[in-house]
Amino acid sequence: MKRGQGPTIRRRRLASELRRLREAADLTIDEVGEKLECSASKVSRIETGHVGVTPRDARDMLELYGLTGDEREALVQLAREACKPGWWHAYKEVFTGTFVGLEADASSLRAFQALLVPGLLQTETYARAVIRAMRPDADEADIEKRVAARTARQQLLSDPSPPEYWAVVDEAVLHRVVGGPEVMAKQAARLLDLAQLPHVTIQVVPFGAGAHPGMEGPFLILGFPEQADPDVVYVDSTSGGFFLELPPDVRRYSLMFDHLRAAALKPDDSVAVIAAAAERYSA
């Protein structure tokens, strides 16, 4: 699948277009809800992409906005395509389709992590140790389901048309012993292997860099191939991540990432630090 062609990005694109058309028709969300005999909150959630829109609802809204002919049918077809389940549907208990759907459609991913190896770069044993530590009340079946879901996500980096992936991690990630020395040795070896891929760049922010913009916490900037799909920032948190889509927010995090890249060791030097960690854990 080409980047930017999945159901989640299509839903996001349709939501944006429906909002634009409503505003062009000089209608409020309340007026649309009243005319279509549905709640205003439903219209709002459709326009923000929080819920999908059925082809029938899309047709009714587009007729209300005065769109006819081929233009209307093209957007109704977009609604049909946006309703198709993605591969992540099998793991719906683990994560929402919004995040993994956008991740799967992204043409570039810029990640920062201060405490853990980024999810797309984790080995299975490292991921299992992390999930078990972060979810002490989870049973083994739930843990294994989450490990399987994370492993499925990682196939993105071996896709025939993979996104450009750039990860910056704090040096603390290499010193925090997750799962024991053997797990860390294998994890460091995996980072070295992935760093050799032409579409993957890994940098380490050394302790000597002092305070840096990433101390606020981990984040991911997702970029998309089509101009109609603006970049979005995903900010991770223990209570569940959230998206930032307003241009000022995206610019702020993009600037933070640029400063992090500047504070980090160069990619080749970062690989050397990771290699040293691999040797230390293997000893």
Side-chain angles (χ1 to χ4, degrees), residues 7 25 28 34 42 49 51 88 101 119 122 125-126 136 169 177 200 203 225-226 231 235 260 265 268 277:
T28 66
E34 183 179 344
K42 176 182 176 179
V51 297
W88 51 87
Q122 294 176 4
T125 50
Y126 184 98
V169 299
V177 183
V200 174
Q203 286 184 271
E226 298 294 332
D231 291 0
V235 180
L260 283 166
L265 299 172
D268 288 346

Side-chain angles (χ1 to χ4, degrees), residues 4 20 25-26 36 49 56 75 78 80 91 94 103 117 130 135 139 153 163 167 176 190 197 205 213 223 230 262 283:
R20 184 188 70 79
D26 199 24
L36 297 183
R56 180 176 179 177
L75 289 176
L78 189 62
R80 293 191 188 97
Y91 301 99
V94 177
E103 181 182 66
V117 171
V130 167
R135 296 180 175 272
D139 58 30
R153 274 179 60 207
R176 184 174 300 281
R190 175 168 172 77
L197 297 176
V205 181

Side-chain angles (χ1 to χ4, degrees), residues 23 35 47 50 56 64 68 74 91 95 97 123 126 135 138 150 184-185 200 204 207 219 225 254:
E23 291 171 350
K35 291 179 182 295
E47 289 190 1
H50 287 123
R56 180 176 179 177
L64 178 62
T68 59
Y91 301 99
F95 41 49
T123 64
Y126 184 98
R135 296 180 175 272
R150 188 161 299 182
M184 291 300 295
V200 174
V204 176
F207 288 138
F219 62 90
S254 295

Side-chain angles (χ1 to χ4, degrees), residues 152-246:
R153 274 179 60 207
Q154 293 174 350
Q155 295 177 16
L156 178 65
L157 294 182
S158 57
D159 189 87
S161 177
E164 292 293 324
Y165 184 81
W166 197 310
V168 177
V169 299
D170 194 281
E171 188 178 352
V173 171
L174 302 177
H175 290 273
R176 184 174 300 281
V177 183
V178 175
E182 184 178 350
V183 171
M184 291 300 295
K186 291 180 178 178
Q187 179 61 73
R190 175 168 172 77
L191 291 176
L192 292 174
D193 289 340
L194 290 170
Q196 301 307 310
L197 297 176
H199 56 282
V200 174
T201 301
I202 301 174
Q203 286 184 271
V204 176
V205 181
F207 288 138
H212 57 72
M215 297 178 78
E216 263 192 324
F219 62 90
L220 175 69
I221 304 172
L222 303 96
F224 303 95
E226 298 294 332
Q227 193 171 1
D229 306 315
D231 291 0
V232 60
V233 176
Y234 179 75
V235 180
D236 207 355
S237 69
T238 54
S239 59
F242 57 92
F243 292 100
L244 298 172
E245 301 184 67
L246 294 177

Side-chain angles (χ1 to χ4, degrees), residues 1-7 9-10 13 105 226:
M1 183 184 73
K2 290 183 179 180
R3 306 262 72 80
Q5 299 298 316
I9 201 69
R10 291 177 186 272
R13 195 176 299 161
D105 273 323
E226 298 294 332

